Amino acid sequence: MATVAVRGVRKAFGPVHVVHGIDIEIRDGEFVVLVGPSGCGKSTLLRMIAGLEEITGGEIAIGGRRVNDLPPKERDIAMVFQNYALYPHMTVRENMAFSMRLRKADAAEVERLVGDAADILGLRPYLDRFPRQLSGGQRQRVAMGRAIVRHPQVFLFDEPLSNLDAKLRVAMRTEIKALHQRLKVTSVYVTHDQVEAMTMADRIVVMHDGRVEQIGTPLELYDDPDNLFVAGFIGSPAMNFIHGRIATGGVAAVETPKGARLPLARLPRGVKAGQEVVYGIRPTHLVLSANDDGLPAIVDVVEPTGADTQVFATLAGQAVSAVFTERHAFTPGEAIRLMPRLDLVHLFDRTSGQKLR
């Protein structure tokens, strides 16, 4: 059993509380990503799981065993850091074997484990090199190899790709996901990059200001966000938010301050006419309309990417973006009409930020 249970965990630095009663249950073999903006408490939570930070309150259990008072070396975890944390005077082989040699493991067994990890990560040709002779991606592989050699119950990753360039980040996240699929070791991964979270995770924990906003699979969070924060954080480009009020007369629509009516498939339960709401629609769910049934918008900026065309426009006095798979030669100031896909509209209460269902 390599489950990780976080129950009511709190963390304070003196009078400043940074983690507020977090509850997460991570299943055996699961890859869970903690995601959120800088300062939301995700790295602090990971360090508490690792034993590198003391817990102010609550309980952490690994494999069913309470570990609150255990030092890191007794928790049977392996951590991969953002800065690789390799010994510069040791070869790749020596870096990967270091923790096993500290345990006074059999030399032949250490060599076998290092060789197996090197084969998994494609490091066999580099075993006798020093870290300074490796690229950033190769150094990160060595850091992962050092973790694999230990055969821990849990892998902990603290923003391991943030020092790499964009192209290498994409390649490395694919490698890490493939590695997890091969080893099936319970993994907790911290990142501020929601694209990393979406592409790698079995489940995502969205954090904000030391609290959990929502836990779910990538597509659950994308398709059904619980609140404005999750809706705006998950998904790239970000969801459009248009402020308005529920229209009067029982009409399923949101009326903006400029008088435009944004259609709804239905009125959520319990909403009242005049209630202040936020109308959410993803850029990919806005369709270009050639008829008068679309909403009038004025083009501000056009960004062709090759595969898509992203259009930034003003709709009902508010900024929106739309993404089209077709190529369009719009010009700034041009009038277009946009139609939201009604089955994919999200409606949020403006005061609480919670989704209206």
Side-chain angles (χ1 to χ4, degrees):
M1 284 286 288
T3 57
V4 177
V6 177
R7 304 186 183 109
V9 167
R10 294 178 287 108
K11 178 64 179 177
F13 295 99
V16 180
H17 293 263
V18 294
V19 174
H20 309 275
I22 284 179
D23 294 286
I24 306 170
E25 296 285 336
I26 300 171
R27 297 185 282 267
D28 183 29
E30 192 173 30
F31 195 110
V32 168
V33 176
L34 309 180
V35 69
S38 296
C40 72
K42 57 190 184 296
S43 288
T44 300
L45 178 59
L46 191 79
R47 291 173 62 83
M48 287 192 286
I49 294 172
L52 301 175
E53 290 281 0
E54 290 186 3
I55 300 169
T56 303
E59 178 182 86
I60 293 176
I62 297 175
R65 179 178 64 154
R66 188 177 186 272
V67 299
N68 286 34
D69 303 317
L70 292 181
K73 66 180 182 180
E74 294 181 21
R75 297 193 181 198
D76 200 9
I77 55 96
M79 194 159 180
V80 179
F81 295 93
Q82 175 180 341
N83 62 356
Y84 320 133
L86 302 177
Y87 296 105
H89 62 286
M90 293 184 182
T91 64
V92 168
R93 186 192 309 277
E94 290 166 340
N95 266 284
M96 290 172 65
F98 184 69
S99 63
M100 299 298 291
R101 296 200 188 284
L102 281 181
R103 298 181 186 179
K104 302 190 185 307
D106 177 73
E109 177 69 2
V110 171
E111 189 64 24
R112 183 186 68 79
L113 292 170
V114 168
D116 289 347
D119 288 338
I120 289 170
L121 295 165
L123 290 172
R124 178 75 70 171
Y126 309 105
L127 286 175
D128 295 319
R129 294 190 187 182
F130 291 93
R132 65 179 179 274
Q133 298 171 307
L134 304 176
S135 68
Q138 289 164 345
R139 291 180 197 177
Q140 195 55 275
R141 285 195 194 96
V142 175
M144 289 191 290
R146 184 175 53 192
I148 292 169
V149 164
R150 296 180 56 190
H151 285 279
Q153 285 196 88
V154 180
F155 285 135
L156 304 177
F157 296 89
D158 190 10
E159 303 206 43
L161 307 185
S162 59
N163 285 342
L164 306 179
D165 63 54
K167 185 176 181 180
L168 191 52
R169 275 203 306 272
V170 173
M172 286 299 298
R173 77 185 185 215
T174 302
E175 288 190 23
I176 292 175
K177 186 169 184 176
L179 180 65
H180 176 258
Q181 290 170 346
R182 179 171 179 172
L183 299 179
K184 300 293 184 186
V185 177
T186 306
S187 300
V188 186
Y189 186 106
V190 162
T191 182
H192 62 273
D193 185 336
Q194 58 91 19
V195 175
E196 265 182 44
M198 289 287 290
T199 54
M200 298 175 72
D202 294 324
R203 283 192 303 155
I204 297 173
V205 178
V206 181
M207 295 182 61
H208 183 222
D209 290 340
R211 293 181 173 84
V212 172
E213 294 287 345
Q214 190 173 353
I215 302 174
T217 67
L219 292 182
E220 284 172 350
L221 300 187
Y222 184 86
D223 293 336
D224 192 18
D226 280 347
N227 53 50
L228 278 169
F229 179 81
V230 176
F233 194 83
I234 297 295
S236 182
M239 184 182 289
N240 295 304
F241 294 132
I242 305 173
H243 293 247
R245 297 174 182 267
I246 297 295
T248 56
V251 179
V254 171
E255 189 167 345
T256 73
K258 294 280 188 179
R261 286 203 168 188
L262 312 176
L264 296 168
R266 61 174 180 81
L267 287 173
R269 295 187 300 272
V271 300
K272 300 176 181 178
Q275 180 176 337
E276 291 193 344
V277 295
V278 179
Y279 187 97
I281 185 73
R282 296 200 181 277
T284 51
H285 299 158
L286 282 170
V287 180
L288 193 64
S289 173
N291 305 318
D292 291 339
D293 56 354
L295 300 165
I298 302 297
V299 173
D300 296 320
V301 176
V302 179
E303 292 185 351
T305 64
D308 302 310
T309 302
Q310 185 167 2
V311 176
F312 296 87
T314 301
L315 189 156
Q318 301 183 48
V320 299
S321 66
V323 175
F324 307 115
T325 54
E326 311 88 5
R327 296 185 179 183
H328 296 285
F330 298 130
T331 57
E334 183 175 346
I336 59 174
R337 300 190 80 88
L338 299 172
M339 188 66 185
R341 288 187 53 185
L342 298 189
D343 56 325
L344 297 173
V345 168
H346 305 267
L347 200 63
F348 304 91
D349 180 73
R350 187 170 178 178
T351 303
S352 69
Q354 295 301 303
K355 185 170 181 177
L356 298 169
R357 301 178 187 279

